[in-house]
């Protein structure tokens, strides 16, 4: 296993299992948005950067409702969620010009959910030659831009939503 500079992975290892509150349940304190890497908060949804990305600009889109699956959302919440996934994808296209995307849900620990109690979409931009999304630890990953730099670049796009 070869690990390139990736301090957020170490933070993940150190904090895993110690999170006391849900990262997706916001307290309406927008002063903390940058600290929590929240890019946008809408009526029913929020968008944040994945603090532990496998690829640069890996976004998470979640409903405000703390629930485990799509069946627990009402029609309006489900529609807002998929619309926000669409907006996030469009914004990534404008900001980083990716050549493709992986968009998906991991429902349940067995399916790879990091925070299984609060469902969230992964929106992962892809470029030819980037690291393989499905590969695990025994791999070299290069994230060319630091996560906070990426946050600052994306934030203005979400102001227009
Ligand atoms: Zn939650």
């Amino acid at each position: 296993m070869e690990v390139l500079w990736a301090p957020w992975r170490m933070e993940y290892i150190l904090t895993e299992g110690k999170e006391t509150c849900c990262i997706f349940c916001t307290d309406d304190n927008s002063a903390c948005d940058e600290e929590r890497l929240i890019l946008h908060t809408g009526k029913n949804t929020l968008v944040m950067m994945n603090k532990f990305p496998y690829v640069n600009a890996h976004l998470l889109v979640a409903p405000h409702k703390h629930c485990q699956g799509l069946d627990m959302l009402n029609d309006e919440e489900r529609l807002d969620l998929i619309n926000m996934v669409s907006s996030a994808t469009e914004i990534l296209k404008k900001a980083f010009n990716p050549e493709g995307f992986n968009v998906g849900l991991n429902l349940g620990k067995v399916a790879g959910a990091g925070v299984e109690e609060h469902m969230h979409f992964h929106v992962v931009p892809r470029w030819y030659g980037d690291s393989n999304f499905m590969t695990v630890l025994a791999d070299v990953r290069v994230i060319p831009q630091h996560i906070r730099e990426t946050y600052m670049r994306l934030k203005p796009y979400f102001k227009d939503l």
Side-chain angles (χ1 to χ4, degrees):
M1 174 176 133
E2 194 175 349
V3 178
L4 299 184
W5 185 70
W8 48 88
R9 297 303 303 176
M10 182 52 70
E11 189 186 340
Y12 180 65
I13 290 159
L14 294 175
T15 58
E16 200 179 12
K18 289 179 192 165
E19 296 279 353
T20 50
C21 55
C22 176
I23 61 164
F24 297 109
C25 287
T26 54
D27 51 8
D28 294 329
N29 183 359
S30 60
C32 295
D33 278 5
E34 190 177 335
E35 191 56 41
R36 298 174 64 185
L37 300 171
I38 294 171
L39 286 160
H40 180 75
T41 305
K43 185 184 169 206
N44 292 310
T45 62
L46 69 101
V47 183
M48 66 166 65
M49 309 265 315
N50 188 344
K51 210 175 165 189
F52 311 109
Y54 281 107
V55 179
N56 190 35
H58 176 166
L59 303 186
L60 304 174
V61 182
H64 288 313
K65 189 185 274 181
H66 184 90
C67 66
Q68 295 190 0
L70 289 164
D71 58 312
M72 295 164 90
L73 300 175
N74 64 36
D75 286 352
E76 183 195 329
E77 291 163 336
R78 256 195 306 270
L79 183 62
D80 278 6
L81 186 61
I82 200 68
N83 283 341
M84 192 54 72
V85 167
S86 175
S87 297
T89 308
E90 291 308 306
I91 284 170
L92 286 172
K93 276 187 199 166
K94 284 184 205 155
F96 292 108
N97 197 30
E99 292 153 308
F101 290 91
N102 290 104
V103 176
L105 286 171
N106 299 330
L107 299 175
K109 275 264 181 300
V110 71
V115 183
E116 70 173 332
E117 59 279 2
H118 195 138
M119 63 162 298
H120 51 281
F121 272 92
H122 291 259
V123 179
V124 183
R126 301 299 310 272
W127 296 264
Y128 286 107
D130 66 18
S131 57
N132 189 324
F133 180 58
M134 297 306 291
T135 53
V136 283
L137 287 174
D139 192 25
V140 178
R141 295 176 192 284
V142 182
I143 297 172
Q145 231 180 331
H146 192 276
I147 189 164
R148 211 157 287 278
E149 235 177 88
T150 305
Y151 176 87
M152 296 315 287
R153 179 146 172 205
L154 283 172
K155 183 76 176 169
Y157 288 94
F158 282 92
K159 285 210 174 82
D160 300 334
L161 290 183

